[in-house]
Amino acid sequence: FENITFWRTQAAADEQSDKEHGTGLIQAVIFEAADRNNIGGSAYGGQRSICCTPDLAKLEGCKQGEVIRIPSSTDSKWPMVLNIYFGGNDLSTSMDNAKVPIMKTGMYNLFFIACDPKLKGTTMSGKTVWKNPDGYLPGRMAPLKKFYVYMMIAYLLLSAIWFSQYVRFWKDILLLQHCITAVIGLGLFEMILWYFDYSNFNSTGMRPVVITTWVVTVGAIRKTLSRLLILSVSMGYGVVRPTLGGLTSKVLLLGATYFLASELLDITEYVGTINDISGRARLFLVLPDAFLDAFLILWIFTSLSKTLEQLQVKRISAKLDLYRKFSNALAVAVIASVAWITFEVYFKATDPFNERWQSAWIITAFWDILSFALLCVICYLWAPSQSSQRYAYSEDVKDEFDDEEAQSLTRGQSDGDVNLVKQERNNGNAGVSDPEDDSEEDKRE
């Protein structure tokens, strides 16, 4: 506890004599989530009360006007209650700077409670500092520091493989593969920034606003470009069509909107002090982000369906096989996302006191793993190679299709012409054929 000071209202102070001691009591209560039922009690099976009432004083033997504390079965010193008194008619009182050693791993809660009704409207300032044996990172966030190290290694391996192929087949690189390179680079940069952000938080106990804002911004750019890349691929950009045409402005507008929604949501969640107000703000900011994600998924699969249909009609087997694999990967990713969201809702709904904090980091880590896995699939399907150009858009695709269709139509007509010529010759309409007629017949044949 550092520089904790309480201020009561002037009316509450005026009711006390300046010669009295202990004219107002505020209690700091620290307890493990598993021992939450050791705080408070109920009279005659009624509503549970944290403070000792006259009825509870008779039944429980507690002291009226104080917090009811039942010693834990494992350690009689816990829950821990620290008393802070106002003196005389003073407006303020300060809590001595103190350290509370916690010897057992768990999710701990701290409440400042005033049972005296006269202390209504009391305000406070100061701070509490929590430190784990390995640093200042909260227990539910500590595993993420190591997780981002593994993600950095994974992105480095992907970068090494991708760039080796990228340099090797530089002359055959498609514009789409340039975009994939940018997403890989941003992903690696984001993982490095997250690691340094968590390391700094762990060593100092604070998250610098500038550094965390940079991390969040890079992450929002990476997520936006990843989604636009998948949308562009689904539309057949660079494979079936040379440009997005009139859809370019709509795609860019959607990207800008998604970036803004994602940036605001992540800043609210990671930057600055997290409190009840930011929690409510996050609830409102989650909705537009979720709506845009749903809209993107719908647009992606609609565009992908049209591209597959177009490739199937043109009988371009190489590109059709490529897009079928891509659509299967996207379908698996969407199903996994929906299943994980369901699990996340269940996880949070069934753990209101955060007792499963040791596995809470997986909720955040899953989305990074899923996006990396999908990126690996895209890198595999569109890997730079000598045959990269076979997947590129070609103006001859439409002509080839028209030629095939024309050939299938003319084949039927040529047979008919030959039969007609044979019939004319069999009828013997001309004993000696005219050279001009022969040339015409040859042309028809």
Side-chain angles (χ1 to χ4, degrees):
F1 296 91
E2 293 185 4
N3 303 320
I4 304 291
T5 305
F6 300 91
W7 285 272
R8 59 182 171 182
T9 61
Q10 185 66 54
D14 291 341
E15 291 183 12
Q16 310 298 331
S17 169
D18 59 348
K19 296 180 180 180
E20 291 184 81
H21 297 285
T23 55
L25 173 63
I26 295 176
Q27 295 177 292
V29 183
I30 311 168
F31 61 94
E32 189 185 354
D35 293 332
R36 58 186 175 274
N37 292 328
N38 291 43
I39 298 295
S42 60
Y44 312 109
Q47 186 176 1
R48 192 172 183 82
S49 173
I50 294 177
C51 296
C52 186
T53 62
D55 290 338
L56 285 170
K58 296 176 183 177
L59 292 172
E60 303 285 347
C62 56
K63 190 173 181 181
Q64 187 175 342
E66 294 186 3
V67 171
I68 301 172
R69 171 191 174 274
I70 303 171
S72 172
S73 58
T74 56
D75 189 345
S76 60
K77 295 180 181 179
W78 289 87
M80 188 171 288
V81 178
L82 305 176
N83 296 331
I84 307 104
Y85 290 95
F86 282 92
N89 58 359
D90 294 341
L91 277 174
S92 65
T93 184
S94 297
M95 181 181 181
D96 293 334
N97 289 358
K99 290 184 179 180
V100 178
I102 296 176
M103 309 306 294
K104 179 185 174 184
T105 297
M107 173 62 73
Y108 287 83
N109 299 271
L110 167 64
F111 286 93
F112 289 99
I113 301 173
C115 292
D116 188 352
K118 294 178 182 178
L119 293 178
K120 184 178 181 180
T122 299
T123 59
M124 67 175 292
S125 67
K127 69 176 181 178
T128 61
V129 180
W130 300 71
K131 185 176 182 182
N132 286 310
D134 297 327
Y136 289 98
L137 270 176
R140 60 192 175 92
M141 295 173 64
L144 288 172
K145 180 185 172 186
K146 189 178 291 185
F147 167 75
Y148 286 123
V149 173
Y150 292 131
M151 288 302 298
M152 275 195 296
I153 295 172
Y155 269 100
L156 280 171
L157 289 174
L158 180 62
S159 300
I161 296 170
W162 178 265
F163 281 111
S164 64
Q165 295 292 100
Y166 191 83
V167 173
R168 184 180 174 189
F169 302 104
W170 173 258
K171 294 181 180 179
D172 298 313
I173 295 297
L174 306 176
L175 180 60
L176 191 63
Q177 289 165 333
H178 289 308
C179 297
I180 295 172
T181 304
V183 172
I184 294 173
L186 280 171
L188 176 60
F189 187 43
E190 182 189 2
M191 295 303 112
I192 293 171
L193 287 178
W194 274 122
Y195 172 74
F196 282 113
D197 181 61
Y198 274 64
S199 295
N200 182 75
F201 188 6
N202 192 51
S203 59
T204 64
M206 299 179 65
R207 302 185 78 172
V209 173
V210 176
I211 295 177
T212 311
T213 303
W214 264 106
V215 178
V216 166
T217 303
V218 171
I221 294 172
R222 194 263 307 167
K223 286 188 285 186
T224 303
L225 285 182
S226 298
R227 282 156 176 76
L228 293 185
L229 173 64
I230 293 172
L231 178 60
S232 300
V233 169
S234 301
M235 289 178 172
Y237 173 67
V239 178
V240 177
R241 56 201 302 176
T243 65
L244 296 179
L247 294 173
T248 303
S249 57
K250 294 180 181 178
V251 171
L252 292 177
L253 179 61
L254 178 63
T257 306
Y258 185 86
F259 169 76
L260 184 62
S262 180
E263 177 82 351
L264 290 174
L265 176 61
D266 290 344
I267 284 177
T268 305
E269 186 170 0
Y270 295 108
V271 180
T273 303
I274 309 302
N275 52 38
D276 293 338
I277 297 174
S278 66
R280 294 191 189 97
R282 184 180 183 279
L283 179 63
F284 287 107
L285 291 171
V286 161
L287 296 178
D289 193 71
F291 172 78
L292 288 171
D293 263 328
F295 180 76
L296 264 167
I297 290 171
L298 182 63
W299 196 358
I300 286 169
F301 277 98
T302 302
S303 302
L304 195 57
S305 176
K306 291 178 181 177
T307 303
L308 283 168
E309 185 180 354
Q310 190 175 1
L311 290 172
Q312 196 165 9
V313 168
K314 293 181 178 180
R315 299 175 184 175
I316 309 173
S317 58
K319 294 180 181 179
L320 181 61
D321 183 58
L322 179 74
Y323 267 81
R324 278 177 176 165
K325 291 177 181 177
F326 178 63
S327 61
N328 291 337
L330 277 183
V332 170
V334 170
I335 292 170
S337 299
V338 173
W340 191 258
I341 289 171
T342 304
F343 169 74
E344 186 175 343
V345 171
Y346 169 79
F347 184 90
K348 292 181 178 180
T350 56
D351 188 32
F353 299 100
N354 296 317
E355 291 180 275
R356 294 200 292 267
W357 56 273
Q358 288 173 310
S359 55
W361 67 276
I362 300 173
I363 300 295
T364 302
F366 173 81
W367 300 109
D368 288 319
I369 294 171
L370 182 65
S371 61
F372 178 76
L374 193 56
L375 180 60
C376 287
V377 171
I378 293 174
C379 289
Y380 171 75
L381 294 176
W382 275 274
S385 64
Q386 289 179 341
S387 58
S388 290
Q389 293 297 329
R390 69 187 290 200
Y391 298 118
Y393 171 78
S394 173
E395 293 181 356
D396 298 331
V397 171
K398 186 176 185 300
D399 297 335
E400 288 172 4
F401 171 66
D402 290 341
D403 291 343
E404 289 177 5
E405 188 177 17
Q407 288 173 11
S408 65
L409 291 172
T410 55
R411 283 194 189 105
Q413 293 175 359
S414 63
D415 292 342
D417 292 339
V418 171
N419 290 333
L420 286 171
V421 171
K422 286 180 178 178
Q423 287 176 6
E424 289 174 0
R425 286 179 176 175
N426 291 335
N427 290 336
N429 291 336
V432 179
S433 59
D434 185 24
E436 292 183 3
D437 292 339
D438 286 343
S439 64
E440 288 297 326
E441 289 171 2
D442 291 338
K443 288 180 183 176
R444 285 201 298 268
E445 291 178 7

